[in-house]
Amino acid sequence: MAKTLLVKNAELLVTMDGERREIRRGGLFIEDNLIKQVGPSESLPQQADVILDMTGKVVIPGLVNTHHHMYQSLTRVVPAAQDGELFNWLNNLYPIWARLTPEMIAVSTQTAMAELILSGCTTSSDHLYIYPNGCKLDDSIHAAAEIGMRFHAARGSMSVGRSQGGLPPDSVVEKESHILKESQRLIEDYHDPRHGSMLRMVVAPCSPFSVSRDLMREAAVLARQYGVSLHTHLTQSTVSQQIRRLEDSVGCKLLDREQRRVMATPEGERLLAYARRILALQEEAREVLVDLQSEGVLRLGVPEDFAAERLMPILSRFGLEHPGVRLEVTCGLGPELMRVYRQGEFDLLLVKQMGQGVDCLACWPEPMCWVDSRSAPAFGRDPLALVAFPVGGLYRNEMLHHLEMAGWHWRINYSSASLASVCAAVAAGLGISLLPTRVIGPQHKVLQASSGLPDIQGVYLALYAQPGLSHAGHLLLGQLRELCEAPQPRTAAT
């Protein structure tokens, strides 16, 4: 048997209908979860299972929240993310969100919904696009059912991690095949398309910088196939401006914005068919020409020692495999390489740095040691004889800083930007130096902790990439990652 609710005697009942009626001493009659009648209180049925007397109050329609990330209710006061720009905010919060659990998803959903209800909202969406530690959209759906809110559950997704040039860490992205399969399951298990439905599903790839073009396209196909909504992050004001500019160009309205839902006009429907044909032709042309096109310039910054010792075979092979790409490689000292990368003048960067950094795609520790000549030791001279890289070099900065802190008297006898030259100078006995353990040769001797020299660690080899890499850029990025992860043979010298 249907449950009924009578709301009566409102000081003012605001309908927001097509006529924008405002009814004094108005009311409404509800059966189950649908409004059956609206009008003056005396015109409504006078009996119901529940009766609410709204004397002295204003009654308005429930508000509709069209976009939310309810799990973010749990991370509103993280100091590092406060007042940050979007990408800085995301980079600080992704590691925290990676520790979400199903219980946290449920609690955050009900917390956000309680806040919305208290503010007058009765229908909400939730764009959940991160699923660590067994989290599923089902956790939000069940929580919404318990609290009783009308819910549009958006199955978000991220598939392009930092190693592929995206923004999110690789640990929180999913395989695209799984994303599509899971979206289909949720639609088939939960979507209720009926009028008055309390639960509908939405296909919602997160954003153009965290999913691939293929996933965007397949998500649209899936949504169209099942008749569900498609949702993502876009710059909405820009989209609206472009549509209005197009309407001005063709001299007619393409969208009807007067209805409760924005709908295509007959002219818009006709143009849509042409638009789909244009996109299909564009894709066909792209596939035909992709093998013939040059991929332009790819700019890579690398530390001098890394380029000389390990990188040349990869660069040579890459040049042969991608003759259409003009590869420009710059070697230099870490701080200068990083400065140039931050100015956008490198597409890819391998750099030595202290600490792991915040926005690098990956990093690997670079063990360091003090090195002397095996045949003509320089250690023991006063002042301490040093071989160093030029001013601004990372190894030089760390070496001199720690020696100063430890109270050593020192003098630089030889300086060069070339790793080979520095290693040769040490081997010849011109001085000792701080070097990566992997470059030590048989002519060198490692100075042990008993020497009293400061132990200097915390140097990392870090990999960076600008957004929007070409296909060839992503291939080189993967090869650089494999090279850095591979164990490197070295000669022990003690």
Side-chain angles (χ1 to χ4, degrees), residues 201-213:
M201 303 307 301
V202 180
V203 179
C206 183
S207 68
F209 52 80
S210 57
V211 303
S212 70
R213 176 182 292 186

Side-chain angles (χ1 to χ4, degrees), residues 14 236 263 282 419 482:
V14 181
Q236 185 56 45
M263 302 289 291
Q282 178 191 14
L419 175 69
E482 290 177 5

